[in-house]
Amino acid sequence: MLRIKTAFPLLLSGAVFSAGAFAAPSVYPTGVTRYDPDKAFNQYVIFSGADKQTHLIDMNGNEVKNWPQAGFPSAIIDPKLVGGERGHVLLQLSDKDPGKLGSAGNGLGNQSVGELDWNGKVVWQWGDKAPGGAAQQHHDQRRLSNGNTVVLANKVHPIKGFKVPEVIDDAIYEVSPDGAVKWQWLASEHLNEFGFTPEQLKLVRGSEDADYLHINNLSVVGPNKWFDAGDKRFNPDNLLFDSRNANFIAIIEKSSGKVVWRLGPNLPLASPKTARTLPRPVDQFVGQHDAHIIPAGLPGAGNVLVFDNQGSAGYPNVTLGLISGSRVLEIDPVKNEIVWQYSAANSKQPGWAFYSSFISSARRLPNGNTLIDEGMNGRFFQVTASGENVWEYVSPYLGKAPGSDAVSNWVYRALPVSYDWVPQGTPRSETAVIAPAVGVQQTNASR
């Protein structure tokens, strides 16, 4: 399915991200632009569009289900956790006045989150019973195997020693089905566990950005080979998160709340001489998103997969290269080595051809492919282990860009959805889409 639409400015968010001047084509296609059914892993994809609705699409880009609520992100629930019922999602259900510190990048405007079934019926809702009377959820929420829901949220409060009068702190709540908070964690209580030097801690406390860490991901570690081998840091119940603004990934020990594993914030800058060498020690990721342990049963299980935006972040800001592109990194978390990576070069493109300075995600698929969301441009694609692009989709759903009145198709996160997650009889299409041949041609204008 291929559509043509008018262009829109690439989205900018001056409040959180450094602005720049960009150029884009005035007309370009949306929908599925290439698809090889034999090489791609065939599935659905779920995402919340810039139109603030949640879309489930098939491999040909057909919308097979729509929920008129946004997700930050749109999260699916394993049918095993809801009595075998298929098609349940976790979304944001209602808004509130975000106050003077509210923005599209935090949860201050979120009143409630909840579970909806396939038909859109609200099965569970949480917000009024949350600390402060509102969920203020942002960036992640997950249903746990015990039936509780873990929610990443914001808490606005003063912290002694910080320059700003109030910080936008990151909180994690484990919520029971009846709305009670059974476990909670607050980032500011663990500042000395995040790997900052004394000089960096001064910069953190002296920052004028109230959202000083901007944690943008929360996942459950899950069953893994490291824990099976005796490494208790990787207890399946522990939680993994990453801080966009501070360039680190960490694991919280659920029993104590302490950070027991961490990568970053201070890593060596990538060298042009070793940038393609594998394996190699982890080099500096910047403003990263969607860090998680690859689940058991998938190729690379136990390793960390992360979208390395190579945006602008750090205390102080990390120096970037002259031409910056994003990367997807697969990391051995015990050896702290990069064992697989994707950049535009893997698809025989220049580095700038794959770039999203913020948002975005990457997920491993059962056949070894990786589903990537280049969020700033609303583009999802599947690459093989060797970097071949075998499926590509550009979102046609438009809305306001964060922090401005510009129009964009930005997508925070895109998630793979197996065919057996949806109710039986849900339609799907798997018709090949042949992309136009790409070659170096001399046009009349260049002669």
Side-chain angles (χ1 to χ4, degrees), residues 217 240 242 249 289-295 299-300 302-308 328-331 340-341 361-365 369-372:
N217 172 72
L240 185 151
D242 62 61
I249 306 168
H289 283 74
D290 198 31
H292 62 280
I293 300 288
I294 298 175
N303 290 335
V304 173
L305 194 65
V306 60
F307 190 104
D308 175 18
V328 175
L329 304 177
E330 181 183 336
I331 298 167
W340 179 85
Q341 64 185 9
S361 61
R363 294 299 170 106
R364 182 60 42 81
L365 304 176
N369 290 356
T370 303
L371 173 67
I372 300 171

Side-chain angles (χ1 to χ4, degrees), residues 316-367:
N317 272 4
V318 173
T319 302
L320 303 180
L322 179 63
I323 297 176
S324 180
S326 297
R327 308 181 296 177
V328 175
L329 304 177
E330 181 183 336
I331 298 167
D332 180 321
V334 173
K335 295 181 178 179
N336 288 345
E337 289 183 339
I338 299 172
V339 296
W340 179 85
Q341 64 185 9
Y342 174 81
S343 69
N346 296 92
S347 297
K348 298 181 180 179
Q349 295 178 298
W352 64 80
F354 169 54
Y355 183 58
S356 183
S357 65
F358 63 108
I359 56 179
S360 309
S361 61
R363 294 299 170 106
R364 182 60 42 81
L365 304 176
N367 68 346

